[in-house]
Amino acid sequence: MTDAPSRAGLGLAAALAALLAVAGGGAFWYAARQNAAANRGAVADMTVSVGAQSCDPGDITVAGGRRSFEIVNNSDRPIEWEILDGVMVVAERENIAPGFRQTLTVQLAPGDYAITCGLLSNPRGSLHVTASDEAAAAASQVTLRKFLGPLSEYRVYLVMQANAAVKTAQALRTAIAAGDLPGAQQAWKAARIPYRHIEPLASRLSDLENAIDPNAAYLAGREADPGFTGYHRLEYGLFGQAGTDGLLPVADRLIADLQDLSTRLKAVDLDPALLTALPGAAAGQLATAHVPAGENLYAGNDLEELQASLDGIGKLAGLLRSVAAGIDPALDADIGAAQAQVELDLAALKQGGGWPAYDQVPDDARHRLAGSLTAFQAVLDRLQPVIGLD
């Protein structure tokens, strides 16, 4: 096993983490401003205030159809707000900074849902969606025949990438078991890529997402919280603490959870409405939650992972463009142009042909990338009404 890191090394890691947190403050502000600008002039159907321990209101009733929720963070921690159907995430907003607000718009079918309220340990609220003519009309417009090919191809893609996620996690475990820190660090980076490819759908399985990829900021005890598991717990040990000690059980748990994820993804009821909603939501999450402050605070390899995320979104977008092209060629062209702009803005951040650490990416470059992702989301979100899903 590797030697324990020195006090000076730990101090340096803590200082770097603190600097990243400070730098992320301005980025949080920018993400909130981007969201506010996108929704300026629109009045949300419901305002939800999230405090330290609960939501207000905690029990919500709305009519089915396309509904909007303004989420206000009145706590002292960054929060996420999710609508859950069982363990399935219907829609979400992440990394809402203290004192800021974001608007979430979602197509809701009648039924009963749960809502999260800040920290993962907080009690959940409820959302009751009643029947409406709008919801009935939306449900009747779906034409499955248009989607048989894309649905089938995306399921194959999910299976292949989920299997790759398990295999790369097993390679990571092998390096950890051998006490090979440099090897484990490289294996960790490699293990993240296939997961980022399938994250648009994998992140909607909330119980597994909270085990595989929890953010320490959403846990009451942060890095010391027993719920801090999965990829980022391993990242913290390998890069933040510079060692492999104590990480083998975490790696074993990650493998088991990824195997469970692989099984669950095969059984997910993929339908046209879900498939069409995924890429825009994923692009929006990158713009507001990942790009501004970064996600991998200890490894710093966010740019490499952003490229993997774009590859996964691009797979979905390509499948859906095959449907949209015969209905609205202009939208098909707009999606291609918006995607190309995101790719261009991301590629511009390379240095010497490789990806720099994320703390070397200046705020203006992050703002530009977040802006192009927001524009990409806006174009992708036009797919549902054009194809006939809302």
Side-chain angles (χ1 to χ4, degrees):
M1 304 298 283
T2 58
D3 293 333
S6 68
R7 292 190 179 183
L10 288 174
L12 178 58
L16 287 173
L19 285 172
L20 286 170
V22 171
F28 269 132
W29 168 84
Y30 176 78
R33 189 182 69 173
Q34 283 283 105
N35 184 266
N39 293 284
R40 188 173 291 120
V43 178
D45 296 298
M46 175 72 63
T47 297
V48 181
S49 174
V50 180
Q53 297 181 330
S54 63
C55 294
D56 182 20
D59 299 302
I60 301 171
T61 299
V62 296
R66 196 162 186 81
R67 297 292 171 259
S68 58
F69 301 86
E70 183 178 50
I71 315 305
V72 182
N73 184 359
N74 285 326
S75 75
D76 61 356
R77 299 270 291 271
I79 63 162
E80 64 178 354
W81 192 79
E82 298 175 329
I83 299 173
L84 300 170
D85 184 3
V87 298
M88 194 75 174
V89 178
V90 176
E92 63 181 335
R93 280 288 179 266
E94 290 186 351
N95 273 7
I96 305 175
F100 286 89
R101 60 188 66 208
Q102 290 191 23
T103 299
L104 171 66
T105 302
V106 58
Q107 181 75 32
L108 290 172
D112 291 312
Y113 304 84
I115 57 175
T116 59
C117 295
L119 296 178
L120 297 179
S121 56
N122 287 348
R124 290 177 175 175
S126 64
L127 171 63
H128 180 63
V129 180
T130 60
S132 70
D133 290 342
E134 181 184 347
S140 68
Q141 290 171 357
V142 174
T143 302
L144 183 60
R145 184 178 300 175
K146 300 175 184 177
F147 287 89
L148 289 178
L151 288 169
S152 176
E153 187 171 342
Y154 191 56
R155 192 176 292 282
V156 171
Y157 179 78
L158 288 172
V159 169
M160 293 178 62
Q161 294 300 315
N163 289 341
V166 172
K167 290 180 180 178
T168 52
Q170 289 170 335
L172 170 59
R173 184 201 185 278
T174 298
I176 290 172
D180 178 5
L181 179 59
Q185 289 175 334
Q186 289 304 311
W188 183 88
K189 292 179 179 180
R192 290 283 289 170
I193 301 305
Y195 183 76
R196 295 305 290 256
H197 288 162
I198 59 176
E199 195 171 23
L201 181 56
S203 66
R204 298 208 171 202
L205 300 174
S206 62
D207 57 333
L208 286 177
E209 168 75 356
N210 291 338
I212 292 170
D213 203 35
N215 187 326
Y218 299 153
L219 300 168
R222 298 185 183 270
E223 285 84 357
D225 197 287
F228 188 41
T229 56
Y231 285 116
H232 291 303
R233 175 62 184 91
L234 293 172
E235 177 201 4
Y236 174 61
L238 294 172
F239 296 90
Q241 298 180 310
T244 60
D245 289 347
L247 296 183
L248 200 55
V250 184
D252 287 335
R253 165 77 184 275
L254 176 62
I255 293 169
D257 287 335
L258 288 171
Q259 289 171 332
D260 191 6
L261 174 64
S262 179
T263 300
R264 296 264 293 276
L265 288 176
K266 294 174 186 176
V268 165
D269 183 17
L270 276 180
D271 60 53
L274 175 60
L275 193 72
T276 312
L278 288 177
Q285 286 296 100
L286 293 180
T288 60
H290 190 155
V291 170
E295 181 175 324
N296 299 342
L297 299 182
Y298 302 98
N301 65 323
D302 294 78
L303 293 177
E304 178 184 10
E305 291 197 9
L306 284 169
Q307 181 62 68
S309 293
L310 283 180
D311 291 343
I313 294 171
K315 177 65 176 181
L316 277 164
L319 294 173
L320 293 169
R321 287 178 65 185
S322 70
V323 179
I327 302 171
D328 190 337
L331 174 57
D332 176 42
D334 287 347
I335 293 173
Q339 183 175 352
Q341 185 61 57
V342 178
E343 295 280 3
L344 186 65
D345 289 342
L346 181 59
L349 300 179
K350 284 188 174 181
Q351 296 177 4
W355 299 114
Y358 204 59
D359 60 0
Q360 297 178 30
V361 179
D363 280 349
D364 61 343
R366 298 188 192 198
H367 296 172
R368 186 165 49 253
L369 182 58
S372 60
L373 279 164
T374 299
F376 190 27
Q377 177 190 15
V379 175
L380 289 168
D381 284 348
R382 288 163 48 194
L383 280 165
Q384 287 193 335
V386 165
I387 292 175
L389 294 174
D390 73 25

